């Protein structure tokens, strides 16, 4: 067992992990932060995306021990300080950017990473950025609309080609 | 996954020492190795994570003008930091996998693994780059030795890859749409001494130089000069495409790369 200490959503946390403990297991099973989802467990679907030191990563494809000393942000850390939904989360609600909701945590974390780097993405850039996030309901169009809205831009009215 | 210990050395020397353990394996960004471990296709006793080694990260220009990329540098960093010095390489790095994968995957990991469909090997071979390890420097022409095979010894770590910067270059890949790996990818690089063309994704022997195209393009650098497609013999044939189809794509992607390079 290895001792790891990291900052998760602003709080310092420690725990004992095995060498093969994935970051996603540490978050969900040890810290009980079950907002980070595990869809495929093969780094395809992106439901497990969290931010490590400000960068979006697939937490099912990183060991907890590798996050020792890191700053981790999960979907639980995305709301505003008063507990209200942040601008991306609110846009997902306003534009019905989810159907079953399973992919939503990863979609929101990927969207946040995109908007930090590129505050006014084009629709094509949004779609390109989401290539590693799979929505099993295939509800991409409203997800893209929500992200465009969250960036303060006009929302495309018609379905994608 | 089988059980293993994980170590996080902070220097190359400590990593080399940790890798001297029996059944130890180096872990780059883990974007290939972790899925492999999950499938129980690999059973190390110790995994030596290279992600904490600061001296293996970063992009800089050497005294000889070559672009030097630390082995532990992520694809996302190369995409950002090589954009002005070697745009074709930066573009290649920026189209590997997806954004989250690019934030973890490293050039050293990709080149050490030498997946027959990976993008980086094409850039390394077409650029005539030098693979620098903790013990030696290996020319790209000597480094790649077939599918998943390289000149690396057990426990040897890629600390840096040095790319001579070409006059013109471009990489074109035909993506396998689900995995984003190259069904066929061609990197064309034009140097004062001649043109080099490296192909990934196509051959059962892994990345290779298409010497016929190199000769033709060295005397006339235009898409029209690209020779007819090579033979489909020895090309990968699977449910995504036959060997003949891949051979056809080699010529098409080479033409597109030459056109894109200008």
């Amino acid at each position: 067992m290895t001792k790891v200490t990291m900052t998760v959503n602003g709080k310092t946390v420690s725990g004992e992990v095995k060498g093969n403990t994935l970051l996603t297991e540490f978050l969900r099973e040890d810290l009980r932060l079950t907002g980070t989802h595990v869809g495929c467990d093969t780094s395809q679907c992106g439901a497990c995306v969290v931010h490590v030191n400000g960068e979006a990563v697939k937490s099912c494809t990183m060991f907890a021990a590798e996050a020792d000393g890191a700053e981790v942000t999960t979907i639980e850390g995305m709301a505003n300080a008063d507990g209200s939904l942040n601008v991306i989360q609110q846009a997902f609600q306003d534009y019905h950017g989810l159907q079953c909701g399973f992919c939503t945590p990863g979609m929101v974390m990927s969207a946040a990473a995109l908007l930090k780097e590129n505050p006014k993405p084009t629709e094509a850039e949004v779609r390109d950025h989401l290539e590693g996030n799979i929505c099993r309901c295939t509800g991409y169009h409203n997800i893209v609309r929500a992200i465009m809205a969250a960036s303060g831009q006009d929302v495309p009215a018609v379905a994608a080609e | 996954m089988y059980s293993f210990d994980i170590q996080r050395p902070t220097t190359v020397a400590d990593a080399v020492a940790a890798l001297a353990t029996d059944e130890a394996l180096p872990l780059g960004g883990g974007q290939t190795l972790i899925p492999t471990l999950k499938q129980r296709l690999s059973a190390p006793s110790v995994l030596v994570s290279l992600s904490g080694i600061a001296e293996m990260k970063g992009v800089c220009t050497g005294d000889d003008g070559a672009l030097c990329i630390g082995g532990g540098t992520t694809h996302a960093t190369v995409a950002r930091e090589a954009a002005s010095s070697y745009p074709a390489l930066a573009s290649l790095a920026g189209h590997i996998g997806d954004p989250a994968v690019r934030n973890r995957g490293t050039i050293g990991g990709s080149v050490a693994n030498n997946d027959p469909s990976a993008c980086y090997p094409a850039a390394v071979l077409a650029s005539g780059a030098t693979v620098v390890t903790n013990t030696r420097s290996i020319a790209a022409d000597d480094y790649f030795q077939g599918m998943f095979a390289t000149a690396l010894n057990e426990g040897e770590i890629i600390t840096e890859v040095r790319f001579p910067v070409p006059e013109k270059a471009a990489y074109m890949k035909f993506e396998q749409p689900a995995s984003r790996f190259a069904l066929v990818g061609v990197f064309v690089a034009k140097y004062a001494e001649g043109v080099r063309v490296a192909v990934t994704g196509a051959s059962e022997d892994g990345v290779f130089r298409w010497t016929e195209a190199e000769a033709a393009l060295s005397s006339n650098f235009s898409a029209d000069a690209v020779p007819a497609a090579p033979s489909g013999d020895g090309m990968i044939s699977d449910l995504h495409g036959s060997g003949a189809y891949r051979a056809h794509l080699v010529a098409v992607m080479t033409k597109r790369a030459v056109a894109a390079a200008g």
Side-chain angles (χ1 to χ4, degrees), chain A residues 63, chain B residues 4-7 24-27 33 37 44-49:
Chain A
F63 292 112
Chain B
F4 50 79
D5 290 328
I6 192 163
Q7 296 190 13
L25 267 188
L27 172 68
L33 183 53
L37 290 164
S45 63
V46 179
L47 215 49
V48 181
S49 165

Side-chain angles (χ1 to χ4, degrees), chain A residues 19-20 22 41 43 55-58 60-63 65-66 68 117 129 131-132, chain B residues 1-2 4 6 8 27 30-31 34 38 47 49 51 97-100 103-104 180:
Chain A
N20 64 7
L22 297 165
D41 202 26
S43 72
E55 293 186 328
V57 305
K58 292 181 171 176
C60 82
T61 308
M62 175 173 180
F63 292 112
E66 293 182 282
D68 187 34
E117 229 174 72
H129 190 83
E131 69 186 54
Chain B
M1 279 181 279
Y2 293 110
F4 50 79
I6 192 163
R8 288 193 84 208
L27 172 68
Q31 303 304 287
I34 294 176
K38 287 180 179 181
L47 215 49
S49 165
S51 62
D98 61 55
N103 282 333
R104 291 293 300 165
R180 311 270 172 178

Side-chain angles (χ1 to χ4, degrees), chain A:
Chain A
M1 301 288 273
T2 311
K3 186 175 185 211
V4 294
T5 302
M6 62 188 85
T7 306
V8 178
N9 300 331
K11 279 198 284 196
T12 304
V13 297
S14 292
E16 294 276 328
V17 296
K18 294 186 292 183
N20 64 7
T21 300
L22 297 165
L23 178 57
T24 194
E25 292 172 331
F26 181 69
L27 293 171
R28 287 177 55 86
E29 292 166 27
D30 294 7
L31 303 182
R32 295 284 168 187
L33 293 172
T34 54
T36 299
H37 289 172
V38 181
C40 66
D41 202 26
T42 59
S43 72
Q44 312 285 315
C45 81
C48 67
V49 169
V50 302
H51 296 180
V52 175
N53 294 328
E55 293 186 328
V57 305
K58 292 181 171 176
S59 59
C60 82
T61 308
M62 175 173 180
F63 292 112
E66 293 182 282
D68 187 34
E71 298 243 353
V72 178
T73 306
T74 70
I75 189 68
E76 287 90 346
M78 294 302 279
N80 295 323
D82 64 0
S84 60
L85 297 180
N86 81 0
V87 64
I88 299 171
Q89 293 170 312
Q90 187 60 52
F92 269 67
Q93 186 178 72
D94 294 345
Y95 287 85
H96 196 58
L98 64 155
Q99 291 176 42
C100 82
F102 191 86
C103 71
T104 312
M107 290 289 181
V108 170
M109 299 311 287
S110 284
L114 169 66
L115 296 185
K116 192 174 77 171
E117 229 174 72
N118 183 0
K120 302 283 178 201
T122 64
E123 183 189 341
E125 285 170 340
V126 172
R127 290 183 188 278
D128 187 52
H129 190 83
L130 294 180
E131 69 186 54
N133 290 80
I134 296 174
C135 167
R136 65 188 182 183
C137 311
T138 71
Y140 296 102
H141 188 54
N142 282 355
I143 292 169
V144 174
R145 296 178 78 209
I147 296 171
M148 294 299 283
S151 70
Q153 302 184 92
D154 288 343
V155 175
V158 293
E161 288 170 13

Side-chain angles (χ1 to χ4, degrees), chain B residues 40-185:
Chain B
R40 295 196 164 187
L41 294 173
S42 174
S45 63
V46 179
L47 215 49
V48 181
S49 165
L50 307 178
S51 62
I53 304 176
E55 63 187 294
M56 272 174 56
K57 291 183 186 180
V59 178
C60 66
T61 301
D63 296 339
D64 57 356
L67 186 70
C68 307
I69 302 178
T73 310
T74 63
H75 309 326
T77 301
V78 174
R80 272 195 308 271
E81 297 187 8
S84 56
S85 49
Y86 195 164
L89 183 68
S91 168
L92 174 149
H95 290 90
I96 296 172
D98 61 55
V101 166
R102 293 195 285 272
N103 282 333
R104 291 293 300 165
T106 66
I107 185 170
S110 172
V111 173
N113 190 45
N114 191 19
D115 187 295
S117 299
C119 295
Y120 263 130
V124 171
L125 189 58
S127 306
T130 304
V131 179
V132 182
T133 74
N134 53 302
T135 56
R136 59 192 169 136
S137 294
I138 310 167
D141 286 323
D142 303 323
Y143 176 83
F144 298 103
Q145 302 189 349
M147 206 180 265
F148 297 110
T150 71
L152 291 177
N153 295 318
E154 292 278 315
E156 194 172 2
I157 299 171
I158 297 176
T159 54
E160 189 175 82
V161 184
R162 292 171 175 262
F163 292 88
V165 179
E167 294 166 3
K168 292 177 177 181
Y171 177 65
M172 282 288 152
K173 70 170 162 176
F174 193 90
E175 285 180 353
Q176 202 275 69
S179 71
R180 311 270 172 178
F181 271 93
L183 196 63
V184 168

